Amino acid sequence: MEFTFEHIVSLLRGGGEELFAEADRVRRLTVGDGIHLRGLIEYTNICHKNCLYCGIRRDSRVARYTLTDDQVIASVRYAVEQGFGSVVIQGGEICAEAHVEAIERIVRRISGMDGPAVVLSLGEQTAGTYRRWFDAGASRYLLRIESSDPALYARIHPADHSFDRRLEALRDLRRTGYEVGTGVMIGLPWQSVESLAHDLLFMRKFDIDMCGMGPYLECDGTPLASFAHETQGSQQWRGELTLRMIAILRLMMPDINIASTTALQAISPDMRLRGLSCGANVAMPNISPSELRANYVLYDNKPVGIDPRILEMARPNGVNPRGRSMRFMRRECNVI
Ligand code: 5AD
Ligand code: SF4
């Protein structure tokens, strides 16, 4: 089916059970029955950026931490024991050489374990840094565009953050050879349904391999939390809109990986589960050392712990045990 702008807008406004059932059917047909588990390791909450919505922005007064190499490796071992196909090392954006080296060293250690695929989510970096981490063994990278509308992007970021730079970073990642994931926040102040339709068209045009998107959730003390805006809707509504975004994207790009994010779970425990039955095929349980999780708060009510119902939905996948993006394999490797 050809998804035009008008069609997407109408589905975003009115899509219901029929849309969800069709997305679930297409998900099973194209990327398989079982969902993929990706262990999330929150490596550091230090960040040099100051995004107006984020709880670990530079100006936030939170206790900062960085995991030791051994703490990361212990989490990876746990992921291996649990049978997870990949691990994500996520952290704030830091460009200092010591940080670049630390990640390089850790990625190299994980690759040497013959363990899960290494996914990075560490913000905008130079093409040279992306290359170093790729050469060390990282194969996937998540960098959300947050909003594909440059005007909205400018309103939710300080003046020294650049939309064009973000786009360039996504292109650098693609050129380096990563499986590239992006995504947006849903229900931001000043964001319209039309803008979200453009976000979906942007993802298709960029031909992304993976997507992670979730509702925007106010985080107390951040500049954006003080904007209660009428276009934003309740958190429940933002969650429902997120489910429609997931379902429509599954139909537009049947063979990509789509995550059902923790932010959905923060609205209600069932929301993330619903994401997995309306198009999403990846869940990212948090496997960071538990004593530090309380400090990695991007938004309020961030859930902790692995939902046992999600573990049950993950069936061993003999064909694609590490949960690679089928879209990537088709494009880059000419297989399947
Ligand atoms: N609400 C929802 N998502 C958020 N993120 C950061 N702050 C918030 C928030 N208040 C998301 C951003 C970022 C990812 C790591 O977390 O999309 O890319
Ligand atoms: Fe830093 Fe990412 Fe938060 Fe922005 S969203 S402040 S880059 S951790």
Side-chain angles (χ1 to χ4, degrees):
M1 195 194 300
E2 177 54 31
F3 281 86
T4 61
F5 175 73
E6 289 74 21
H7 188 201
I8 297 170
V9 168
S10 81
L11 285 174
L12 281 173
R13 288 196 204 284
E17 287 315 315
E18 214 173 295
L19 168 68
F20 296 156
E22 180 61 5
D24 193 41
R25 192 182 71 80
V26 168
R27 193 262 304 171
R28 285 170 201 276
L29 270 176
T30 52
V31 292
D33 221 16
I35 61 147
H36 298 292
L37 295 177
R38 202 188 263 163
L40 175 64
I41 302 170
E42 291 162 336
Y43 172 65
T44 180
N45 68 351
I46 300 173
C47 186
H48 294 166
K49 281 264 177 97
N50 221 0
C51 306
L52 302 183
Y53 43 84
C54 177
I56 62 169
R57 63 200 295 270
R58 190 174 63 221
D59 290 352
S60 273
R61 277 200 208 99
V62 290
R64 304 286 174 171
Y65 75 86
T66 301
L67 299 185
T68 63
D69 292 14
D70 288 342
Q71 281 174 315
V72 177
I73 298 299
S75 300
V76 175
R77 286 217 181 87
Y78 174 77
V80 172
E81 280 162 24
Q82 297 289 314
F84 295 178
S86 60
V87 290
V88 194
I89 300 178
Q90 185 166 66
E93 189 173 304
I94 308 169
C95 300
E97 175 57 25
H99 174 70
V100 175
E101 260 173 44
I103 298 297
E104 200 174 19
R105 191 174 62 229
I106 290 168
V107 172
R108 214 162 254 131
R109 255 179 93 176
I110 303 174
S111 311
M113 290 164 68
D114 195 25
V118 181
V119 189
L120 299 178
S121 174
L122 299 162
E124 290 166 20
Q125 302 286 343
T126 63
T129 296
Y130 287 149
R131 161 63 56 192
R132 280 170 66 181
W133 292 344
F134 186 81
D135 289 344
S139 55
R140 308 177 197 168
Y141 206 101
L142 308 174
L143 181 66
R144 289 187 179 179
I145 189 76
E146 313 295 0
S147 167
S148 66
D149 172 358
L152 179 56
Y153 188 94
R155 290 184 95 161
I156 60 170
H157 293 100
D160 62 345
H161 292 30
S162 157
F163 179 79
D164 289 337
R165 173 73 198 97
R166 174 68 52 113
L167 267 184
E168 201 45 40
L170 282 168
R171 291 196 197 102
D172 285 340
L173 288 164
R174 167 62 51 82
R175 280 191 284 262
T176 309
Y178 285 96
E179 274 175 58
V180 179
T182 194
V184 296
M185 283 179 288
I186 295 158
L188 286 160
W190 311 291
Q191 189 181 44
S192 62
V193 164
E194 286 78 7
S195 173
L196 289 168
H198 278 298
D199 289 339
L200 293 173
L201 290 167
F202 166 85
M203 292 188 234
R204 184 171 67 182
K205 186 157 174 233
F206 194 85
D207 197 18
I208 59 167
D209 305 303
M210 304 178 277
C211 178
M213 49 192 174
Y216 161 66
L217 303 168
E218 301 72 4
C219 183
D220 213 22
T222 58
L224 209 61
S226 51
F227 286 104
H229 197 274
E230 70 217 37
T231 60
Q232 201 173 292
S234 67
Q235 289 200 354
Q236 185 67 29
W237 180 81
R238 290 176 234 164
E240 299 288 339
L241 198 52
T242 301
L243 297 180
R244 277 182 230 140
M245 287 283 283
I246 290 174
I248 298 166
L249 187 63
R250 171 60 68 204
L251 298 178
M252 289 171 71
M253 304 187 75
D255 54 359
I256 65 171
N257 279 345
I258 304 178
S260 190
T261 54
T262 342
L264 263 181
Q265 194 190 355
I267 293 183
S268 84
D270 286 344
M271 272 271 179
R272 184 164 69 165
L273 220 54
R274 283 180 65 199
L276 293 168
S277 58
C278 71
N281 69 323
V282 176
M284 296 168 54
N286 192 328
I287 56 166
S288 311
S290 49
E291 66 276 14
L292 293 169
R293 279 186 213 164
N295 292 325
Y296 202 96
V297 178
L298 301 172
Y299 39 81
D300 296 340
N301 295 325
K302 192 160 161 280
V304 291
I306 305 180
D307 187 331
R309 294 173 297 179
I310 287 187
L311 292 179
E312 259 169 47
M313 291 176 79
R315 273 177 286 278
N317 185 326
V319 185
N320 184 15
R322 289 174 158 197
R324 284 188 102 178
S325 161
M326 305 276 252
R327 174 101 215 124
F328 180 85
M329 286 199 271
R330 290 207 174 101
R331 182 183 343 97
E332 308 288 328
C333 317
N334 290 323
V335 293
I336 310 184

